[in-house]
Amino acid sequence: SLSLDSLKPRLNFLITEVGVAADVIGSVVMRHPTILTLSVEDTMQPRLQFFHSLGVSEAGITKMVTRHPQILQYKVESMVPRLRYLQSIGMTEDDIVTTIS
């Protein structure tokens, strides 16, 4: 079972690294409760780095995760071709973020 001590690093990551506002963290968790079971180091951080590598802004990442927190659980390998395709057809970062979120 999850303890409060095990939840703190995950919540802290979502607020400080991803930029999810503290006043909406509850609704983010309600949308995708299993986000609190994900490993910061093995799952969430690599996804965050992946979005940064694509050039997605901090604000864009925050918007995507706030609306669809499960995106931090998707396999990077499955996202790459889809996001590259969206970029190849000329979609801007804002367009991609809107499409994803």
Side-chain angles (χ1 to χ4, degrees):
S1 82
L2 294 173
S3 68
L4 186 56
D5 287 337
S6 72
L7 297 178
K8 285 180 184 179
R10 293 169 176 98
L11 293 170
N12 187 50
F13 177 83
L14 291 168
I15 293 168
T16 61
E17 299 296 320
V18 178
V20 175
D23 62 335
V24 298
I25 195 73
S27 63
V28 169
V29 170
M30 291 296 292
R31 267 190 222 102
H32 191 66
T34 58
I35 199 165
L36 294 179
T37 66
L38 301 178
S39 165
V40 170
E41 296 80 20
D42 297 333
T43 305
M44 291 194 279
Q45 185 67 42
R47 273 62 173 184
L48 185 64
Q49 290 171 342
F50 168 71
F51 291 121
H52 284 299
S53 75
L54 292 176
V56 179
S57 69
E58 296 286 336
I61 293 169
T62 300
K63 183 177 179 181
M64 288 189 305
V65 173
T66 299
R67 291 186 178 175
H68 297 286
Q70 65 272 21
I71 202 163
L72 289 178
Q73 190 171 1
Y74 294 163
K75 292 183 182 206
V76 170
E77 301 79 27
S78 68
M79 289 188 285
V80 170
R82 292 173 176 94
L83 293 174
R84 296 267 185 241
Y85 172 74
L86 295 175
Q87 290 174 325
S88 76
I89 61 171
M91 290 184 79
T92 65
E93 176 195 328
D94 288 341
D95 294 336
I96 292 171
V97 169
T98 299
T99 300
I100 292 172
S101 57

